[in-house]
Amino acid sequence: MNRISKKKTLSRYIIKKYLSFLIVILLLFSLIRNLSALLFFGSDNLNFSRILDANALITEDYENTDISGLADIDGWIEILDEENRVIFTKGKVLDPHSEYTQKELLEMNALGGFLGKTSFTIGGILNLTYKGNEHGTSRYLATYTVFERGGQSLTGLVRFPAEKVSARFTFLNPSGELRTAMFQTGVALFAACTGVFLFFLLRYARAIRTHVAAPNETLVTGLREITSGNYETRIRLNAEYEYREIEDSFNQLADELMTATKERERLNRERRQLLSNIAHDLKTPITTLQGYAKALSDHVVKSPEQQEEYLSAIYHKSVHMAGLVNKLLEYSRLENDTYQLHLEDTEFTEFVRTVIIDQYDAFENHQIELDAEIPDGEIHLTIDRIEIRRVLLNLLGNCIVHNSPETSAHAVVWSDGHFCMFELWDNGTPIPAELRESIFEPFVCGDASRQSGNGSGLGLSICRKVAEKHGGTITLQEGPDGYKGFILSLPCI
């Protein structure tokens, strides 16, 4: 039989810990209170009954009475003879008398002095708060004892200012109205304490809900969305520092997953397009080769001139196919993560001059005017010379192949200290707007070259791969006066 345990939540755990801690605190408070009362009132070193109780304080040897504790509340002792005349005092006498009447003794009686004064009752405890300054009441109180010495009956008084003390009485096992009052007071006190406790408990539970449970629910919901593939999910926890760290990490992870997903979709789409275009671009020349070869093998073509024409067509188609296959191999090699560039420290301005000089004849043959703006100063880059040369030749070759005669081209090299730019601008045949965003994708050309068979549509894709391998970029931009430009950006050393 499987046991179904109650779902454990962080908020329930914290509330449970809070209640356990509260119970421990209450028990400790009760224990400390009882121990304090025991130590404070039961200690032989500090027993208040020995300070104010004349019976405990005064003995026959009253001359040697220790009144150090009594003096702390401005008290003193007096000894009276049988006629209530003062025959001995010890301590600073604040209310001097030579003798006392019986009425004065009764008024000074400490317990009697408190009875009948204003008081309040809580839980059966009578707390008298009178401080001895009401009209018609003695400012000084006393406790007394009677003892024998030398055959005489003497009275010992312990006198003290009424304002220095207050009295508290506990009624045990009362009945009648007092019992009812004590019960009602106890119920009210218990209800008040319970209400205060529940109030703070609910506030604590609400705080836990807001600051712990709610962020956890939001986080769990976000994780479920991410797990289901919804990488656009973002969370807002509105909580303390630890949760803000979780929020930032979660959202960063979602961003990375969304970027990776889009990149994966792009690569898959690119591969599907690549396979489709390979089949398309190989099918036409292969069909042509098959037709020409069949005609020659069946001796359909009798004329030597026509046979020469067919053989020439077979050769050129095979060259075109070989070039296409080489481009595919080059593109696949660059896409491989294991491919390593052969980087060398290269002075880039002189490197570009050499490549452009090699292409001047081709530009002149196609009647395209090319001027170069290359700085005299040195710009050093760490590049794979073979691959970057291939990129420059591809850009220059496209300028020749895809533009009509009388086109003006302009090559520029410059650096901002962080990146070095090679820009090739021309005012020739414009690139259709629908192709500008995908011009660097495989098998995309800026004209109808794929139909004419003059291009493979892989050159710019290879250029982009080489630039990315170097930590750079290549972009297409529109310039003034109908100019378009390819911008190669490479990081400086």
Side-chain angles (χ1 to χ4, degrees):
M1 179 178 179
N2 295 330
R3 297 179 59 188
I4 302 177
S5 59
K6 185 180 290 187
K7 183 179 180 181
K8 294 182 179 180
T9 63
L10 183 60
S11 59
R12 182 178 295 137
Y13 173 80
I14 293 179
I15 292 174
K16 185 187 297 182
K17 288 296 182 181
Y18 171 78
L19 292 176
S20 302
F21 178 74
L22 182 61
I23 292 173
V24 171
I25 291 296
L26 292 175
L27 292 175
L28 287 176
F29 176 79
S30 177
L31 178 62
I32 291 173
R33 182 177 182 276
N34 292 332
L35 289 177
S36 299
L38 176 63
L39 294 175
F40 192 74
F41 294 102
S43 171
D44 291 335
N45 296 326
L46 189 59
N47 192 329
F48 284 100
S49 66
R50 295 180 62 83
I51 296 176
L52 299 179
D53 187 2
N55 191 43
L57 187 62
I58 301 175
T59 64
E60 293 183 10
D61 187 18
Y62 53 78
E63 294 89 347
N64 296 319
T65 300
D66 181 8
I67 64 167
S68 58
L70 185 61
D72 291 337
I73 60 169
D74 297 331
W76 70 95
I77 66 171
E78 297 179 357
I79 306 299
L80 311 181
D81 61 11
E82 293 177 344
E83 301 299 327
N84 294 333
R85 293 188 297 267
V86 178
I87 61 173
F88 177 82
T89 64
K90 189 172 185 179
K92 183 179 180 180
V93 180
L94 299 179
D95 184 27
H97 285 73
S98 60
E99 61 180 349
Y100 292 91
T101 65
Q102 193 66 28
K103 180 180 179 181
E104 288 176 326
L105 291 175
L106 289 175
E107 287 178 350
M108 288 189 302
N109 179 269
L111 181 59
F114 282 106
L115 292 177
K117 305 305 181 221
T118 303
S119 64
F120 61 92
T121 303
I122 295 180
I125 298 176
L126 179 64
N127 187 20
L128 302 174
T129 59
Y130 168 66
K131 294 299 182 182
N133 53 9
E134 282 191 0
H135 176 70
T137 306
S138 175
R139 295 177 57 206
Y140 298 94
L141 303 178
T143 62
Y144 67 91
T145 184
V146 178
F147 61 93
E148 296 285 336
R149 177 172 171 174
Q152 290 185 335
S153 178
L154 303 179
T155 301
L157 296 181
V158 174
R159 298 198 63 193
F160 49 89
E163 63 182 9
K164 294 290 185 176
V165 295
S166 65
R168 175 177 293 176
F169 303 93
T170 302
F171 295 94
L172 302 176
N173 301 319
S175 61
E177 294 182 358
L178 183 58
R179 179 174 183 176
T180 301
M182 290 177 59
F183 175 76
Q184 292 174 347
T185 303
V187 171
L189 183 62
F190 175 78
C193 293
T194 302
V196 171
F197 171 78
L198 290 177
F199 172 75
F200 283 102
L201 179 61
L202 290 175
R203 283 180 60 87
Y204 181 81
R206 182 179 179 182
I208 293 297
R209 168 68 184 172
T210 302
H211 295 277
V212 178
N216 284 346
E217 291 177 2
T218 303
L219 180 60
V220 170
T221 302
L223 290 173
R224 287 173 179 167
E225 290 293 324
I226 289 292
T227 303
S228 65
N230 183 12
Y231 300 134
E232 296 182 357
T233 301
R234 300 296 181 270
I235 62 173
R236 180 73 176 172
L237 298 180
N238 295 318
E240 281 68 32
Y241 173 77
E242 293 82 359
Y243 280 105
R244 290 200 299 271
E245 289 286 310
I246 294 174
E247 175 186 312
D248 293 341
S249 299
F250 180 95
N251 292 336
Q252 181 181 354
L253 175 62
D255 287 337
E256 293 176 355
L257 288 174
M258 186 169 65
T259 301
T261 300
K262 290 181 177 180
E263 180 65 16
R264 184 176 66 252
E265 291 175 352
R266 185 188 69 82
L267 291 175
N268 289 336
R269 186 170 58 252
E270 192 174 285
R271 288 189 179 94
R272 289 193 298 270
Q273 182 183 0
L274 183 65
L275 292 174
S276 175
N277 289 332
I278 288 173
H280 176 273
D281 285 3
L282 289 178
K283 180 178 180 180
T284 300
I286 289 175
T287 302
T288 302
L289 288 175
Q290 287 177 336
Y292 286 164
K294 180 67 173 176
L296 291 174
S297 64
D298 291 344
H299 304 288
V300 173
V301 180
K302 303 295 186 180
S303 168
E305 293 80 7
Q306 195 173 10
Q307 290 179 353
E308 185 67 26
E309 180 183 346
Y310 275 35
L311 290 174
S312 178
I314 290 174
Y315 172 76
H316 286 96
K317 291 294 182 182
S318 65
V319 169
H320 174 71
M321 290 178 60
L324 179 60
V325 171
N326 289 333
K327 289 282 188 181
L328 285 171
L329 292 175
E330 185 178 344
Y331 180 82
S332 301
R333 177 172 54 87
L334 290 171
E335 267 210 323
N336 194 331
D337 293 335
T338 61
Y339 174 73
Q340 297 294 325
L341 298 173
H342 300 286
L343 300 176
E344 300 177 79
D345 183 4
T346 302
E347 203 286 291
F348 192 64
T349 57
E350 186 61 31
F351 180 79
V352 173
R353 286 191 188 96
T354 302
V355 175
I356 291 177
I357 289 172
D358 291 343
Q359 296 298 305
Y360 260 124
D361 290 342
F363 275 90
E364 289 183 355
N365 292 336
H366 286 78
Q367 301 178 13
I368 295 177
E369 181 182 354
L370 173 65
D371 65 274
E373 184 180 337
I374 302 175
D376 294 330
E378 295 184 350
I379 301 176
H380 285 269
L381 305 180
T382 302
I383 59 174
D384 186 320
R385 297 180 184 178
I386 295 177
E387 297 295 349
I388 295 299
R389 180 181 177 83
R390 182 179 289 117
V391 171
L392 298 180
L393 290 176
N394 190 285
L395 295 177
L396 293 169
N398 285 345
C399 184
I400 296 171
V401 172
H402 299 296
N403 289 313
S404 59
E406 308 303 328
T407 296
S408 295
H410 186 60
V412 183
V413 175
W414 63 280
S415 174
D416 61 2
H418 300 287
F419 286 87
C420 178
M421 315 295 179
F422 172 81
E423 302 181 0
L424 183 60
W425 297 87
D426 68 69
N427 62 352
T429 305
I431 296 176
E434 64 272 12
L435 295 180
R436 291 173 188 167
E437 295 296 326
S438 58
I439 192 66
F440 295 101
E441 299 295 327
F443 293 99
V444 175
C445 297
D447 61 5
S449 61
R450 285 191 53 204
Q451 283 72 27
S452 64
N454 295 325
S456 65
L458 288 172
L460 290 178
S461 298
I462 293 173
C463 290
R464 183 181 66 180
K465 293 293 183 182
V466 172
E468 290 174 350
K469 288 285 186 179
H470 283 80
T473 59
I474 185 169
T475 57
L476 171 64
Q477 296 184 12
E478 295 295 320
D481 301 326
Y483 274 81
K484 65 179 181 295
F486 287 92
I487 315 300
L488 172 65
S489 173
L490 297 172
C492 298
I493 295 178

